Amino acid sequence: ISTTTTALDFSGDQLQTISISAATTFTTSNLAVGKTKTIKITTDGTLRTLTFPAWKFVGAKPTDQAASKIGILTLTSFGTTDADCVAAYAVEE
C-alpha cells in the first residue's frame, strides 16, 4: 500500500503490483539500459493523484487514477536517468 511514495527498483522483479490509498509520487533506482518494469496499479475507493519523475510518456501522461480502477504502467529504461525512461500507461474503462 502506498502512502506517498512508490519506489521502483529496476534491479528487482520486472512485474510489480501496488495498491495505492493516497496521492502517490513514483521514484526509481538502479536504472540501466534495457531494463523494463510493468506495474499493475490498483486504487482504493478514491481518485488518487499520480506524480512521476522526468519520464517520457508515449500517449497521455496521467495525473490521476480513478477510484477502484486498475491501471498498467510500463517503463523501459534507455539509460541511467529518469529522463532516459519511456513510459506508457492505460487504465481500465
Side-chain angles (χ1 to χ4, degrees):
I1 304 249
S2 170
T3 51
T4 56
T5 302
T6 296
L8 303 175
D9 184 349
F10 274 69
S11 66
D13 291 337
Q14 180 184 1
L15 297 176
Q16 188 173 344
T17 300
I18 61 170
S19 297
I20 57 175
S21 58
T24 300
T25 299
F26 290 85
T27 63
T28 59
S29 62
N30 298 310
L31 292 166
V33 174
K35 294 281 189 170
T36 63
K37 199 76 136 147
T38 300
I39 300 98
K40 176 183 172 185
I41 305 166
T42 303
T43 45
D44 62 2
T46 304
L47 178 137
R48 297 298 177 186
T49 302
L50 305 174
T51 304
F52 302 98
W55 303 336
K56 309 295 186 225
F57 274 83
V58 231
K61 177 180 177 179
T63 56
D64 56 44
Q65 184 166 300
S68 304
K69 294 291 184 179
I70 293 172
I72 298 294
L73 175 65
T74 303
L75 300 166
T76 303
S77 179
F78 290 88
T80 58
T81 70
D82 284 317
D84 296 322
C85 280
V86 176
Y89 172 84
V91 68
E92 72 174 300
E93 302 260 337

